[in-house]
Amino acid sequence: MTQEPTEKLSNVQIAWRAAQDIADGAYVNLGIGFPEMVARFQPEGRAAVFHSENGILGFGKAPSEGQEDWDLINAGKKAVTLNPGAAFFHHADSFAMVRGGHLDVAILGAYEVAQTGDLANWSTGPTGVPAVGGAMDLVHGAKRVAVITEHVTKKGQPKLVERCSLPLTGVGCVTRVYTSLAVVDIEEGRFVLREKLPAISFDDLQSLTGATLHCPGPVADLIVPEL
Amino acid sequence: MDKTLPSPADAVAGIADGATVMVGGFGGSGAPIELIHALIDRFLATGSPGNLTVINNNAGNGQVGIAALIAQGMVGKIICSYPRSTNSRAFIEKYQAGEIALELVPQGTLAERIRAAGAGIPAFFTPTAYGTELAEGKQIQEFEGRPYVMERWLKADVALIKAELGDRMGNLTYRMTARNFAPIMAMAAAHTIAQVSRLVAPGEIDPEAVITPGIFVDALVEVAEPAQEEALNRAEVHYP
């Protein structure tokens, strides 16, 4: 297998790239952990409204240390603040926003994404204590479900695959994947390459991908600032 | 009409062995700590109630609240979406020892099952979990060309919730994200017990601001300056 190139996007850079596709005024849910970084890179002049499953629309940055109010937390159980125009609601309303198709974008992490849009991101198998949270709801609710992820695992195995081998979070739900090497859309059961790092050849990228990358149109250079 | 009771101990006195108990709270916010601890006190004094089924988003954190309830061996089953956290040792130990059952439910399905019970809707269809192991054995039906999973209502004998303001008629408001599951649990349980941080006279809560109307609440107890779960855990408090 081809070695992953030394030049690749960092997690913050992947988050930056994903943030460029979020429109002004969009209602957005960011998964816990890595996807939360996307909020830091909203382009100038755009303001999305961030949704937290536990019952907030319009939460803002973390408070400074010592200023936390532990009754004001996000789904990751971290203290947050409120932006002007924020709202609280109970859990069934929160997931009505999710399942009712009211969110514009959900961005999640992934263990594996299949060319069919299937996502595996909640369980690494039968060992340990299972926990699912809201991932299975989010993948069926938002108008657009995107994934941000390393292109390959720490062991160098492709994370973009023909079929997921791990337990599924949802079937046919992901429409775009932002990786450390490329931006890939999922259309009609196949991976469509939209952007790639200029430093990597198509053939090398293909060898790091577990399913065929299609190029029906131009492939742009994936250019992200140093962050 | 006066639904108030003098103490948390009075409020939880009727909870029976084997009861299904919904407990409000998400992460460290909204847990009715004083009600849960009153239940533990009763168990330590009388050996009852045990073999409870607890419904919450999580499975307890630290060594207070639901985690303390589990550590005492009072819980036979947990129904939740996310039992694993950095601080959920009480549950994980019992689970790995085979001493507690787990029903894992996607978070939105958990909320909607509770809401449905409160609204008298025995089942509903959702796309959530379709094609996953959490939908195995469940009825699938297509609507407008898309497959959906049938999920059933989730009822409880008792709900224990924490609210901010309450009046003796049971009208409630909440504090920020401490609201989470409390309004729907209040609807879904046969007997809803609320601890309120401040008891006010009927009329003092603007009717426009009532979040849980009193019809969903059976008993209230005032707990001024209630404990906050996250704060207790950060101070590494152990109950009892």
Side-chain angles (χ1 to χ4, degrees):
Chain A
M1 173 156 293
T2 310
Q3 287 292 305
E4 193 179 10
T6 48
E7 189 175 325
K8 62 166 188 169
L9 299 184
S10 64
N11 280 358
V12 283
Q13 288 178 303
I14 302 170
W16 180 93
R17 176 62 192 85
Q20 306 314 301
D21 291 344
I22 297 175
D24 185 36
Y27 291 97
V28 180
N29 184 290
L30 301 176
I32 294 164
F34 174 20
E36 289 179 59
M37 285 187 209
V38 173
R40 287 160 45 188
F41 300 111
Q42 286 190 84
E44 191 73 26
R46 292 190 218 166
V49 179
F50 292 102
H51 169 265
S52 185
E53 293 93 314
N54 57 321
I56 321 175
L57 270 179
F59 70 91
K61 293 185 167 67
S64 49
E65 206 174 322
Q67 298 301 304
E68 299 94 348
D69 184 325
W70 295 110
D71 281 344
L72 182 52
I73 58 173
N74 65 12
K77 285 105 181 175
K78 296 191 189 79
V80 294
T81 56
L82 298 178
N83 289 333
F88 296 123
F89 34 84
H90 64 61
H91 236 84
D93 279 353
S94 184
F95 278 90
M97 293 174 195
V98 174
R99 295 158 163 237
H102 304 283
L103 292 178
D104 295 298
V105 187
I107 299 181
L108 298 97
Y111 297 138
E112 294 173 317
V113 185
Q115 60 187 356
T116 51
D118 295 359
L119 173 67
N121 83 341
W122 74 281
S123 169
T124 53
T127 54
V129 178
V132 64
M136 287 189 184
D137 302 285
L138 285 163
V139 296
H140 288 295
K143 296 187 183 91
R144 193 162 78 74
V145 175
V147 157
I148 57 175
T149 179
E150 290 278 339
H151 201 86
V152 298
T153 66
K154 288 193 177 74
K155 290 179 177 169
Q157 297 299 312
K159 297 182 79 164
L160 279 62
V161 295
E162 286 186 0
R163 294 172 63 105
C164 294
S165 61
L166 292 168
L168 292 183
T169 306
V171 175
C173 50
V174 178
T175 53
R176 174 164 270 205
V177 187
Y178 303 94
T179 81
S180 46
L181 302 176
V183 177
V184 178
D185 281 339
I186 292 168
E187 291 178 358
E188 294 164 354
R190 55 187 202 157
F191 288 128
V192 174
L193 181 63
R194 296 297 182 200
E195 299 174 21
K196 68 170 184 62
L197 286 183
I200 188 169
S201 71
F202 175 83
D203 288 346
D204 284 350
L205 184 66
Q206 178 63 73
S207 73
L208 294 165
T209 307
T212 304
L213 290 169
H214 296 268
C215 303
V219 177
D221 284 342
L222 174 55
I223 308 279
V224 175
E226 293 295 324
L227 294 165
Chain B
M1 181 185 285
D2 186 358
K3 298 179 179 178
T4 59
L5 292 170
S7 72
D10 293 298
V12 303
I15 298 175
D17 286 330
T20 296
V21 183
M22 289 176 174
V23 183
F26 175 97
S29 182
I33 292 290
E34 285 77 6
L35 290 176
I36 301 169
H37 288 179
L39 207 54
I40 293 172
D41 294 346
R42 198 185 123 203
F43 178 78
L44 291 172
T46 69
S48 183
N51 193 29
L52 300 172
T53 293
V54 168
I55 301 167
N56 180 264
N57 188 65
N58 308 104
N61 293 293
Q63 298 174 310
V64 297
I66 290 175
L69 206 64
I70 292 169
Q72 290 296 334
M74 298 169 67
V75 182
K77 181 180 181 183
I78 282 265
I79 302 174
C80 74
S81 86
Y82 208 88
R84 203 172 58 211
S85 76
T86 50
N87 203 6
S88 48
R89 204 178 64 220
F91 169 77
I92 289 170
E93 282 175 5
K94 295 276 184 200
Y95 181 74
Q96 289 175 339
E99 292 170 6
I100 193 165
L102 170 66
E103 180 179 340
L104 192 69
V105 183
Q107 201 169 329
T109 296
L110 181 64
E112 192 62 18
R113 288 177 66 192
I114 295 168
R115 195 201 72 84
I121 297 167
F124 59 91
F125 287 90
T126 176
T128 297
Y130 173 74
T132 77
E133 59 189 62
L134 296 189
E136 279 169 17
K138 291 177 181 167
Q139 186 185 324
I140 306 295
Q141 194 168 322
E142 270 193 25
F143 295 90
E144 300 181 8
R146 204 177 156 192
Y148 292 79
V149 180
M150 191 176 84
E151 296 282 358
R152 291 174 186 276
W153 59 9
L154 187 56
K155 297 189 276 189
D157 300 306
V158 180
L160 303 178
I161 62 172
K162 179 186 192 176
E164 179 70 359
L165 301 181
D167 64 30
R168 61 180 161 76
M169 301 179 78
N171 297 304
L172 303 176
T173 71
Y174 299 91
R175 184 163 187 272
M176 300 194 285
T177 56
R179 183 184 309 186
N180 57 69
F181 282 89
I184 51 174
M185 288 179 168
M187 295 165 64
H191 186 76
T192 293
I193 303 165
Q195 65 168 75
V196 301
S197 302
R198 195 154 65 88
L199 192 63
V200 298
E204 277 193 50
I205 303 174
D206 181 347
E208 295 277 17
V210 170
I211 304 298
T212 293
I215 191 169
F216 297 127
V217 177
D218 300 283
L220 294 92
V221 57
E222 187 181 42
V223 178
E225 296 179 26
Q228 209 284 347
E229 185 182 287
E230 183 73 22
L232 292 179
N233 284 331
R234 282 173 182 266
E236 297 185 17
V237 172
H238 188 299
Y239 195 84

